[in-house]
């Protein structure tokens, strides 16, 4: 069995009705049969269309097929920084009468519109990213990003020599989850390694490429580059290749274990990546949102786990 299937099961005490249904296409899915009670309506909003969030959506659709008493409305932003797009999706779902929304928030800037939803009686479950300090959320279903960062830092510390220099490609500054991935990594990296650059990339591959090119030009002898999310690390790989460096000459470590990262790890081009479990986030997120909408008690935090992916175990993640 693949490592991601052996992860610890979630501690969810959610008494939900079971059934079977077929999933429709478009922006909503429902399996309500003629003559049955109106299904509860909930929303599921993700940041933007990439493999990570597509996996979440697919997991929610799979879950929904077995729950005909739930209608799921789907929404998505256009980028990892599209606060405006997610705000519009939330407003649209409120107008359509959802009882709960599970959302991967682009930033804490969404707090006001999410509080508006809560004030209207709609339960909010944050998926993948937290909004620290906001009391209106019912639950957070996410990776423990600080723990994931520490996992990466400890792994990297064993593979770079004391006195080495490295660079860090941050995600979107101010995003708590992405910031935790950097904070955690630095906490276990140790004092023997110096970080020479920490540019923000907004988790964008082109920005990662440009940042890595600048880093390699200014610091050609760096030993490693760590990325707080997958796309910038793939951009860094492009920069490393363009600089004429051989695979393994510079240690690249990512976070997400995206399909592109996994392919590069298998090829020996990227050394490692911290795996998250987006399918688990999706199914647990929607299940938790439905339970909260039905007045059931739900856990405040649900950790969906992390695992280090290297060439030795990458086959189990592909």
């Amino acid at each position: 069995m693949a490592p991601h299937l052996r992860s610890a099961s979630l501690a969810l005490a959610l008494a939900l009705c079971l059934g079977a249904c077929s999933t429709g296409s478009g922006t909503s899915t429902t399996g309500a049969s003629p003559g049955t009670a109106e299904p509860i309506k909930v929303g599921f909003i993700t940041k933007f269309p990439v493999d990570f969030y597509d996996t979440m959506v697919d997991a929610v659709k799979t879950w929904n097929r077995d729950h005909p008493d739930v209608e799921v409305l789907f929404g998505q932003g256009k980028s990892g920084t599209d606060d405006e797009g997610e705000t519009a999706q939330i407003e649209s779902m409120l107008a359509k009468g959802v009882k709960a929304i599970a959302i991967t928030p682009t930033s804490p800037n969404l707090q006001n519109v999410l509080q508006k939803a809560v004030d209207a009686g709609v339960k909010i479950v944050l998926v993948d990213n937290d909004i620290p300090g906001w009391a209106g959320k019912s639950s957070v279903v996410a990776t423990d990003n600080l723990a994931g960062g520490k996992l990466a830092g400890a792994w990297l510390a064993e593979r770079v020599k004391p006195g080495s220099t490295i660079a860090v490609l941050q995600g979107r500054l101010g995003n708590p989850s992405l910031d935790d991935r950097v904070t955690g990594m630095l906490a276990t990296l140790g004092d023997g390694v110096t970080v020479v650059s920490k540019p923000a990339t907004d988790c964008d591959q082109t920005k990662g490429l440009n940042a890595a090119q600048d880093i390699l030009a200014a610091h050609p002898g760096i030993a490693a580059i760590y990325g707080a999310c997958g796309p910038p690390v793939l951009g860094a790989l492009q920069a490393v290749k363009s600089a004429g460096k051989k695979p393994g000459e510079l240690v690249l470590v990512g976070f997400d274990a995206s399909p592109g990262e996994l392919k590069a790890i298998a090829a020996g081009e990227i050394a490692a990546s911290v795996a998250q479990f987006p399918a688990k986030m999706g199914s647990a997120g929607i299940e938790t949102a439905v339970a909260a909408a039905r007045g059931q008690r739900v856990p405040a935090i649900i950790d969906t786990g992390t695992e280090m992916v290297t060439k030795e175990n990458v086959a189990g993640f592909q």
Side-chain angles (χ1 to χ4, degrees):
M1 183 179 290
H4 58 293
L5 297 179
R6 294 197 298 263
S7 297
S9 59
L10 300 175
L12 289 176
L14 307 177
L16 300 179
C17 300
L18 298 177
C21 68
S22 60
T23 303
S25 59
T27 60
S28 69
T29 61
T30 178
S33 302
T36 62
E38 189 74 17
I40 189 170
K41 191 179 294 184
V42 298
F44 191 80
I45 301 173
T46 50
K47 289 183 182 178
F48 60 117
V50 292
D51 288 324
F52 187 82
Y53 296 115
D54 289 346
T55 298
M56 280 190 198
V57 171
D58 288 344
V60 173
K61 289 180 178 179
T62 297
W63 179 91
N64 199 199
R65 282 199 294 267
D66 294 328
H67 297 80
D69 52 345
V70 179
E71 179 181 0
V72 182
L73 306 182
F74 292 92
Q76 193 167 68
K78 295 180 180 179
S79 73
T81 59
D82 188 12
D83 293 343
E84 198 172 299
E86 283 204 335
T87 296
Q89 294 288 350
I90 294 165
E91 296 278 12
S92 174
M93 289 187 179
L94 292 180
K96 292 175 181 176
V98 296
K99 301 302 181 184
I101 297 174
I103 181 172
T104 65
T106 43
S107 81
N109 294 333
L110 295 181
Q111 180 173 322
N112 287 342
V113 69
L114 289 174
Q115 186 61 51
K116 175 183 175 181
V118 171
D119 293 343
V122 176
K123 302 296 183 181
I124 300 297
V125 171
L126 303 180
V127 180
D128 187 36
N129 297 292
D130 189 13
I131 299 179
W134 179 49
K137 59 201 170 194
S138 293
S139 181
V140 179
V141 179
T143 300
D144 184 335
N145 288 283
L146 187 66
K150 289 180 178 180
L151 188 65
W155 188 91
L156 193 54
E158 294 179 356
R159 287 161 179 83
V160 293
K161 297 177 181 179
S164 296
T165 55
I166 73 165
V168 176
L169 300 179
Q170 301 196 77
R172 183 185 186 186
L173 299 182
N175 180 297
S177 297
L178 298 175
D179 290 347
D180 278 351
R181 296 176 188 182
V182 175
T183 300
M185 190 280 292
L186 296 176
T188 55
L189 182 62
D191 297 331
V193 179
T194 301
V195 177
V196 295
S197 183
K198 294 196 298 181
T201 66
D202 293 329
C203 289
D204 179 83
Q205 185 165 334
T206 300
K207 290 183 180 180
L209 166 62
N210 294 335
Q213 287 176 330
D214 292 342
I215 289 167
L216 291 173
H219 308 280
I222 62 171
I225 296 177
Y226 168 71
C229 31
V233 174
L234 294 175
L237 176 58
Q238 292 176 264
V240 168
K241 288 180 176 180
S242 296
K245 292 184 179 292
K246 298 177 181 178
E249 186 177 342
L250 190 155
V251 179
L252 294 176
V253 179
F255 203 116
D256 282 340
S258 65
E261 288 177 277
L262 296 178
K263 182 178 179 181
I265 290 171
E269 297 174 332
I270 290 178
S273 183
V274 180
Q276 301 190 83
F277 302 98
K280 189 181 293 185
M281 288 186 207
S283 58
I286 199 67
E287 192 172 352
T288 304
V290 171
R294 288 176 170 158
Q296 298 171 20
R297 176 177 290 183
V298 298
I301 299 174
I302 299 170
D303 176 13
T304 50
T306 54
E307 188 168 345
M308 208 73 193
V309 183
T310 65
K311 193 168 184 179
E312 287 69 33
N313 66 351
V314 67
F317 289 83
Q318 291 177 306

